[in-house]
Amino acid sequence: MYDSIIIGAGPAGLTSAIYLRRANKKVLVLEAKGYGGQIANADKVENYPGISQISGYEFAENLYQQAKNMGAEIKFEAVNSVKNDKSVQTNSRIYHGKTVIIANGAAKRKLNLKKEADFIGKGISYCATCDGNFFKNKTVAVVGGGNSALEDALYLSDLANKVYLIHQFNEFNAEDKYREDLLKKSNVSFLMNSTVTAINGSSNLESITVTDGNGSVQEISIDGLFIAIGQEPQNQMFSNVVDLNDAGYIQCDAGVYTKTDGIFAAGDTCEKELRQLTTAVSDGSLAATAALKSMKG
């Protein structure tokens, strides 16, 4: 019996683990893939208070080691279901807890175009910092208009000969700093009010078809396509113990309380205004504190 079972080893989940271990609670963290969440793929983190600059990987590694050194038990198993009695089933067994914190983050949103899945690793990527080095001195495109997309374009502009930044609207939904930095890059071209309507190639990506708001169509030869169009939650498995909004995010009172006593949520998996590293860490500490109060009865 664990005092708390935490689903997800991203910043929210690992912060919860640290807070609960400081309270001397028995903690299990279950993670389906790799620790650190999406921040682990960030080239640079420059907006975390008290740290001027750090790589996303280093931040994730520090957080993971801190939780582990404090005694949190971390297992890499995919969760299949959670029940009202706070039991959590994975592919291998059932774990029992007094409380559960759902901090499973969100997955990268896909374009859902033909050949997209076929060309992952063959020209298509969802992580510029992971795969950018494969495209040195080549031509690439980034799809998206938020901070992540502009960060990706900036990162790739130092590697690739040419970067196309494709956004479906006329204005970016990103910090001005990223936009201003990109405007200084001579090898970056902006395709605004445009969408990728086809992915072309035989065994590997060769080109994309781009259609603008006026219906004009052009085919652009590229070596790599980096998709950064946001996230989508993976919460359907929890729908028996939490309420989900129309987009699939968990609805919470006071940020972390779900409809089921003893089950809490934290981080990007929640319905919220802002999904940032700072808010994930904040959510993690709030969820742990709520779990501690719940255990006191």
Side-chain angles (χ1 to χ4, degrees), residues 132-168:
N133 281 331
F134 296 119
F135 298 91
K136 285 183 178 179
N137 304 317
K138 295 186 177 182
T139 299
V140 300
V142 177
V143 182
N147 284 343
S148 295
L150 271 64
E151 283 181 292
D152 286 355
L154 278 169
Y155 176 76
L156 291 165
S157 69
D158 292 329
L159 298 170
N161 282 337
K162 179 70 176 180
V163 179
Y164 293 96
L165 181 55
I166 304 165
H167 185 40
Q168 63 179 327

Side-chain angles (χ1 to χ4, degrees), residues 43-235:
D43 180 42
K44 296 177 184 177
V45 177
E46 297 179 317
N47 60 353
Y48 192 84
I51 302 175
S52 297
Q53 185 181 105
I54 190 172
S55 74
Y57 174 81
E58 185 180 359
F59 184 91
E61 180 68 22
N62 290 345
L63 194 57
Y64 172 76
Q65 292 298 337
Q66 184 179 0
K68 195 172 180 181
N69 292 341
M70 291 182 69
E73 187 178 345
I74 303 174
K75 294 186 178 185
F76 292 93
E77 299 181 26
V79 171
N80 295 327
S81 65
V82 177
K83 294 185 178 180
N84 286 305
D85 63 359
K86 272 71 79 181
S87 62
V88 178
Q89 183 167 5
T90 70
N91 289 330
S92 61
R93 59 168 294 181
I94 297 175
Y95 297 97
H96 298 277
K98 297 176 183 176
T99 61
V100 173
I101 297 174
I102 302 171
N104 60 318
K108 295 287 189 180
R109 182 172 284 117
K110 309 294 192 299
L111 291 173
N112 293 321
L113 293 174
K114 187 177 180 181
K115 295 189 177 182
E116 180 177 358
D118 296 336
F119 289 165
I120 294 173
K122 298 178 181 179
I124 289 181
S125 173
Y126 302 88
C127 178
T129 54
C130 304
D131 301 325
N133 281 331
F134 296 119
F135 298 91
K136 285 183 178 179
N137 304 317
K138 295 186 177 182
T139 299
V140 300
V142 177
V143 182
N147 284 343
S148 295
L150 271 64
E151 283 181 292
D152 286 355
L154 278 169
Y155 176 76
L156 291 165
S157 69
D158 292 329
L159 298 170
N161 282 337
K162 179 70 176 180
V163 179
Y164 293 96
L165 181 55
I166 304 165
H167 185 40
Q168 63 179 327
F169 301 116
N170 285 318
E171 294 183 2
F172 293 116
N173 182 29
E175 295 176 25
D176 288 341
K177 179 181 183 300
Y178 296 130
R179 182 179 58 81
E180 292 164 3
D181 289 345
L182 275 174
L183 288 170
K184 299 173 185 176
K185 299 285 187 176
S186 60
N187 63 335
V188 176
S189 292
F190 300 88
L191 300 179
M192 307 299 289
N193 193 29
S194 299
T195 57
V196 177
T197 50
I199 295 169
N200 312 309
S202 52
S203 57
N204 294 281
L205 173 70
E206 297 173 4
S207 68
I208 53 174
T209 303
V210 178
T211 305
D212 69 18
N214 297 318
S216 298
V217 178
Q218 62 175 315
E219 185 173 344
I220 303 173
S221 296
I222 59 172
D223 302 290
L225 177 64
F226 293 84
I227 300 168
I229 55 173
Q231 309 173 83
E232 53 188 2
Q234 308 289 309
N235 290 325

Side-chain angles (χ1 to χ4, degrees), residues 1-7 20 25-30 73 79 81-90 93-102 241 260-264 291-292 294-295:
M1 172 65 73
Y2 292 91
D3 290 308
S4 191
I5 299 173
I6 301 168
I7 302 170
L20 286 161
K25 298 301 181 183
K26 187 177 181 182
V27 176
L28 172 64
V29 180
L30 295 170
E73 187 178 345
V79 171
S81 65
V82 177
K83 294 185 178 180
N84 286 305
D85 63 359
K86 272 71 79 181
S87 62
V88 178
Q89 183 167 5
T90 70
R93 59 168 294 181
I94 297 175
Y95 297 97
H96 298 277
K98 297 176 183 176
T99 61
V100 173
I101 297 174
I102 302 171
V241 292
T260 304
D261 289 342
I263 296 180
F264 309 92
L292 287 170
S294 174
M295 284 181 253

